[in-house]
Structure formats: C-alpha cells, structure tokens
Amino acid sequence: MPTLSKITREDSTPRLTPFVRSFLKRVQNTVAKHQLWTNPKKESFVIGVSGGADSLCLLDVLFLLSQKREFAIHVAHVNYRLRGKDADRDEALVRERVQHYGLTLSVLHPKKTSLSNLEEKLRDIRYHFLEKIRLQKKATLIAVAHHEDDQAETFLLRLLRGSGMQGLSAMHPKNGFIVRPCIDMSRDDILRYMKERALPYRTDLSNTDSKFLRNKIRHTLIPLLEREYQPNIKNILSGTAALLAADYAHLDEPFSLPHLITQNNLIFSAKELLHFPETHLRQQFRLLFRPLYGKKAPPKGVIEEVLKLLRSPKNKHQHLTFHGLKIERKGDTVRLLDFHI
C-alpha cells in the first residue's frame, strides 16, 4: 500500500534567521486564521512543486514545520515538456530537493496539448494529477504555492474579463482538499526567504511572455498601479478578494427555492421567486445549473435570461432555449424542461 514519507531526521541547514522565523510564524498564523488544518499530526500532504521559488519555498516551509508537527509529505511535479531542456532542468532540481529532504516524489509527463486555452488546460492537468496522487497516497490535503501577488493578479484578471462576486473572491485559502498556506505572503518575502535559506530555484521565462494576459497584468498593469495610484495595491486587492470570499460564503449557504418536480421538469412560481433578493436568486440558480455545464459556472448570460423571464410582465406563452437550457413560462408558471437534479 503506498504511503507518504515521514520525516524523521533533523534538518541539517544553518540556524534560522529572524526573518525566516517570522515568515514561518506568519504562515502558521494563516493556517490558524483560515483553519487550513487543525491537527497537523493527523494530516498528510501532497505538495505541488514546479521548481520555481514559490513552490520550493512552500516545500521548505512545510518541511521545517513537519520537524515538530510530525506530519507526512509527498511531492508531486508535472513536466509538461513545453520548454524543452529548461523543463527537464526544472524536474532535475525538484528531484534533487526531494532527495535532500528525504521525501518521495511522483512525476507526470503528460502528452502535449494544443495551444488553445493553454493556461486552463495545464491547470486542469496539474490539479487532476495532484488529486490522483492524493488518493493514491491516502493524503488528507494538497498544498499549492499561491501567494498574495497571485491573488492580486487573479482578482484583476477576472475583473478585466468580467466576473461576479464568486469570481472576484479569487483563490480561497482552502478549497476542498486544496490549501494555500502562503496565500498571505508577498512574492518579495518569498524571494527573501529563499535567499536567507540559500535555496536554489528555477525561473520560468514563459512567465515574462506578454501573449498571456496574466503576464501583462503582472509586468505592466500592477507596476503602473503601484507607481501612479497605490504603492500597496497588491495587498489591497488581495484583501478585497478575501472580503468578497467571506461575503460570498454567506450567499453560498444552501436554502431551498420553492419548486415542484414532474417528469424531469422543474417548476417554479415567478411571483414566489421574485420575493427573494436577486443576489440570492443569482447564486441559487448558479448552483442549480452547474451540473448542466460540467460542474462549472453557467455561461455568461444564462442567469440574466432566466431572471428576465421571471420579471417579464407578458402573459403569453414564452419559450427560451439558451446554452442548452430549455425554459418556458405560462402565466406565473416557469418550467425548466428536461432538467435532472
């Protein structure tokens, strides 16, 4: 039966500097504040490590914390082989660091994928692999290395593309089995940590490629906002995302919309639904429709079309087919047709 590596030897690195001790304390504060885990001795981690500063910092942090907390660690790495020898050097560094810590490693070499929607495809491959390894190793959590700068970039990315409260909540510190222990740490602090710990890391040159919108935000938009408007913009945007996430969590609390089910049709009274706050209606329809779209958020416009039909003063028979959703209204009765829940 596969197991995760237990860390039993003492760390052979030099004495920790005051900054590194402070960094570790701040990470533990993040863990406590967001309840990423409550009893470390009962936890086991799969850590996603790319070879960059962020993930190797996370690996070192969890390694040091495991010295006292005695939790188990397994490392997972994805080599997409999109950057030739550079990608292989990333993998080689990850293997070297894993060996240094005395841990175990799983590596995925996925088949090359098309360049359309590349970022989303690579993310899906990565998280699918991490979850697969979590199940194989019987781990309780997956740790990934997102930090405050990533949070700010994600907020702006979704704002520019158009998003509601859920999207602007950006990345949650804990999402199911996924935890982000460094979500409150800045990129500058991570680089300082790596320097003071004398840890090697690799730089992915594709992170400077301006054909990706996130890179434009990172290297052009955020520096402009820092220089011309607000020097502390990354911290502010990250904090705003956290506030929206907290508000959204209340909206996400389930409640039952009044309805009937007959032969795979979902039946509502328009008047009854319109008594609910529109914000709650949007969220409940969003949750209701997710299974229709591969458990992803419904396409833009779906919720608006449903609300428009509910508000319509027309008494005539109305029928709407929109992004796979079939709806009809007769008087006060609204039916979602061929709908399975």
Side-chain angles (χ1 to χ4, degrees):
M1 181 181 298
T3 59
L4 286 81
S5 298
K6 283 280 188 180
I7 299 174
T8 57
R9 65 180 177 83
E10 288 297 318
D11 184 22
S12 60
T13 52
R15 185 180 299 275
L16 302 181
T17 66
F19 174 81
V20 169
R21 291 184 181 278
S22 172
F23 190 102
L24 293 171
K25 182 64 176 177
R26 289 168 60 197
V27 170
Q28 292 178 85
N29 289 341
T30 295
V31 170
K33 178 173 68 174
H34 299 296
Q35 296 185 315
L36 303 189
W37 57 84
T38 55
N39 187 348
K41 292 186 177 182
K42 293 184 178 180
E43 305 293 357
S44 50
F45 295 83
V46 171
I47 308 177
V49 179
S50 67
D54 304 339
S55 60
L56 285 172
C57 173
L58 174 64
L59 175 59
D60 192 69
V61 165
L62 290 182
F63 174 81
L64 291 177
L65 293 179
S66 72
Q67 300 279 289
K68 294 183 178 179
R69 306 298 184 181
E70 300 179 356
F71 52 75
I73 290 175
H74 181 82
V75 178
H77 173 75
V78 181
N79 182 348
Y80 301 103
R81 292 181 169 171
L82 295 175
R83 296 168 26 252
K85 291 183 178 179
D86 277 341
D88 292 335
R89 292 187 184 105
D90 293 348
E91 180 182 332
L93 177 59
V94 172
R95 289 185 180 278
E96 185 276 322
R97 298 312 299 168
V98 169
Q99 184 178 12
H100 169 81
Y101 294 122
L103 301 174
T104 54
L105 173 68
S106 295
V107 176
L108 174 68
H109 297 120
K111 294 180 181 178
K112 289 189 177 181
T113 184
S114 65
L115 296 179
S116 61
N117 298 320
L118 183 61
E119 287 181 281
E120 182 176 349
K121 288 178 180 177
L122 298 185
R123 184 175 61 248
D124 289 345
I125 290 170
R126 182 167 62 253
Y127 281 107
H128 177 78
F129 177 59
L130 291 171
E131 175 62 9
K132 177 182 176 181
I133 298 302
R134 186 190 71 81
L135 293 173
Q136 285 181 354
K137 302 297 180 180
K138 301 187 184 302
T140 55
L141 296 170
I142 296 168
V144 292
H146 294 119
H147 49 73
E148 182 180 83
D149 295 39
D150 293 323
Q151 186 76 302
E153 292 165 11
T154 301
F155 181 92
L156 286 173
L157 182 68
R158 294 180 179 178
L159 182 66
L160 291 173
R161 287 176 172 170
S163 185
M165 185 181 291
Q166 181 183 19
L168 295 179
S169 298
M171 297 176 291
H172 295 198
K174 184 172 186 178
N175 185 9
F177 296 111
I178 298 170
V179 294
R180 298 179 168 91
C182 293
I183 195 67
D184 294 330
M185 315 303 285
S186 72
R187 169 73 173 178
D188 287 343
D189 283 345
I190 286 171
L191 292 177
R192 181 176 173 184
Y193 180 99
M194 296 296 285
K195 182 178 180 179
E196 296 202 10
R197 288 282 285 155
L199 297 173
Y201 62 90
R202 300 271 303 158
T203 299
D204 184 349
L205 295 180
S206 68
N207 288 334
T208 63
D209 190 339
S210 61
K211 72 181 179 183
F212 297 115
L213 179 56
R214 180 179 288 274
N215 289 343
K216 289 183 180 179
I217 291 171
R218 176 181 301 160
H219 299 297
T220 303
L221 179 55
I222 288 181
L224 173 66
L225 293 173
E226 288 177 322
R227 184 174 63 252
E228 301 291 341
Y229 298 95
Q230 171 53 261
N232 200 32
I233 189 66
K234 288 183 285 192
N235 180 263
I236 289 173
L237 293 176
S238 178
T240 300
L243 289 173
L244 288 173
D247 290 343
Y248 181 79
H250 291 290
L251 287 178
D252 204 27
E253 293 175 359
F255 70 90
S256 297
L257 293 175
H259 64 271
L260 296 173
I261 303 174
T262 61
Q263 297 180 339
N264 294 328
N265 295 339
L266 204 57
I267 303 174
F268 299 99
S269 160
K271 290 180 180 178
E272 282 190 57
L273 290 191
L274 291 174
H275 284 305
F276 289 92
E278 190 167 293
T279 302
H280 286 275
L281 281 180
R282 289 177 187 277
Q283 174 59 6
Q284 292 305 305
F285 278 127
R286 192 176 292 117
L287 294 173
L288 187 64
F289 296 159
R290 284 177 71 91
L292 295 181
Y293 304 104
K295 296 185 179 180
K296 296 183 178 180
K300 288 183 180 179
V302 166
I303 308 300
E304 291 303 322
E305 289 297 326
V306 174
L307 291 175
K308 187 188 300 183
L309 197 67
L310 289 176
R311 300 190 205 102
S312 175
K314 300 176 183 178
N315 287 321
K316 66 178 184 178
H317 181 200
Q318 300 176 67
H319 192 277
L320 171 69
T321 300
F322 190 79
H323 280 287
L325 196 65
K326 298 178 182 180
I327 314 171
E328 70 172 16
R329 178 173 176 178
K330 292 181 180 179
D332 181 55
T333 302
V334 177
R335 285 182 171 85
L336 302 183
L337 306 176
D338 300 322
F339 194 87
H340 300 265
I341 61 171

